Amino acid sequence: TNKQSPPFQVIIGSENALSNLAGFHIARGAMACGIVPNYNEEWLTNYLSQRCCRCCCRSTTPTTTTQPNSTKTQHTKKKFLRILALDQINDTANLGSMIRCSAAFGIDVIVISDDSCDAWYRRSVRVSMGHVFSIPIVRVSNLAYTLKQLSDSFGITTYASVIDVDADLILEDLPKGHVVVVNNNKDDKSGDDASGGGGGNGWCCVMGNEGNGISKKVNHACNYRLRIDMSDGVDSLSVPIATGILLHGLRERE
């Protein structure tokens, strides 16, 4: 049997040598060096174009299969795009937790604002439990513009997560099957379109800064402001926990 060498090198060194090489104390006994994937805005546009095209094809065409003594028509379930967008996230541990939540709830791509911290910082990578490697992460120069493009060009419903009592929608009140409807009338706060129709290619949940929330421009660019219903006396949650609740809630209501 021919033995093939792995496409990487394994170098063994003392703890002191590894710590000196890294510039900080190595406590876990191993480290790796690799190339960070470059998912740019052009990649995002191409990805969304391809995925939205496939979504449209799958959602409208029933398939007929013939079995002995029976003919059945099967409708292929539509796979909606799921996107997480992050605005001005400054804590690498929080970012790593949000990446981990994204992997748990089937997020296809993460979009981060240019002023957010680095998803590939060692603390973020560690807290993500390695899931930073499994989800494309795209840094964009203008998050508000990107969100408008998601809605206007790709039919993706965008939700700005807020704690405001006058939010357009409450997560727990969204009925199943109606989270991918785009309502471009920002003056309509009833949420009727969100609870009374179907269509769209997917949804995007937007999370904001740990202290200040979502910026005004990004908030205005979204289709809806969405909040989590909480008990009296509790007005907010940590960003990673809120992210997990919202991602799970939106997925379950597709």
Side-chain angles (χ1 to χ4, degrees):
T1 304
N2 294 329
K3 294 183 178 180
Q4 296 182 347
S5 299
F8 54 84
Q9 292 182 327
V10 178
I11 301 174
I12 299 175
S14 66
E15 182 176 306
N16 288 336
L18 294 177
S19 297
N20 290 334
L21 182 63
F24 58 90
H25 180 64
I26 297 293
R28 297 183 180 272
M31 63 179 181
C33 179
I35 299 175
V36 174
N38 180 25
Y39 295 107
N40 55 27
E41 296 180 56
E42 181 181 358
W43 177 90
L44 179 63
T45 299
N46 292 335
Y47 174 79
L48 293 174
S49 299
Q50 295 174 6
R51 279 296 307 271
C52 289
C53 178
R54 291 202 297 268
C55 284
C56 290
C57 292
R58 282 202 297 264
S59 64
T60 57
T61 306
T63 58
T64 303
T65 57
T66 302
Q67 299 177 351
N69 302 323
S70 67
T71 299
K72 295 183 178 181
T73 300
Q74 297 178 343
H75 292 269
T76 303
K77 183 178 180 180
K78 183 171 181 176
K79 173 64 172 67
F80 293 113
L81 267 166
R82 301 169 184 162
I83 301 173
L84 174 65
L86 306 178
D87 184 27
Q88 302 179 50
I89 299 299
N90 295 326
D91 187 284
T92 53
N94 283 345
L95 179 55
S97 294
M98 296 160 85
I99 294 171
R100 187 178 181 184
C101 287
S102 298
F105 299 119
I107 293 299
D108 296 295
V109 61
I110 299 174
V111 179
I112 63 176
S113 63
D114 197 40
D115 50 1
S116 290
C117 59
D118 185 7
W120 294 93
Y121 186 75
R122 63 179 185 272
R123 192 180 184 200
S124 174
V125 174
R126 183 173 69 249
V127 176
S128 78
M129 297 299 290
H131 291 294
V132 69
F133 298 101
S134 62
I135 304 175
I137 301 174
V138 184
R139 185 178 294 272
V140 297
S141 58
N142 188 331
L143 182 57
Y145 174 79
T146 299
L147 291 171
K148 285 291 292 180
Q149 289 294 105
L150 290 181
S151 175
D152 296 344
S153 300
F154 299 104
I156 296 172
T157 311
T158 53
Y159 294 94
S161 60
V162 298
I163 60 174
D164 306 332
V165 294
D166 63 343
D168 303 325
L169 302 169
I170 299 175
L171 175 66
E172 290 74 14
D173 292 341
L174 285 175
K176 187 177 179 64
H178 302 287
V179 301
V180 291
V181 179
V182 177
N183 175 13
N184 290 318
N185 181 9
K186 295 294 289 185
D187 295 326
D188 179 10
K189 305 302 182 182
S190 65
D192 291 341
D193 284 358
S195 59
N201 288 320
W203 51 265
C204 173
C205 179
V206 185
M207 305 300 298
N209 176 270
E210 293 85 351
N212 302 317
I214 297 173
S215 63
K216 290 183 179 180
K217 289 184 178 180
V218 170
N219 198 329
H220 184 72
C222 294
N223 298 117
Y224 300 103
R225 293 182 303 142
L226 175 69
R227 71 176 175 89
I228 300 169
D229 191 25
M230 291 180 279
S231 300
D232 293 340
V234 181
D235 62 357
S236 64
L237 296 167
S238 67
V239 176
I241 291 177
T243 300
I245 293 172
L246 287 166
L247 295 185
H248 177 266
L250 289 171
R251 186 189 70 169
E252 292 302 298
R253 288 164 176 80
E254 285 181 349

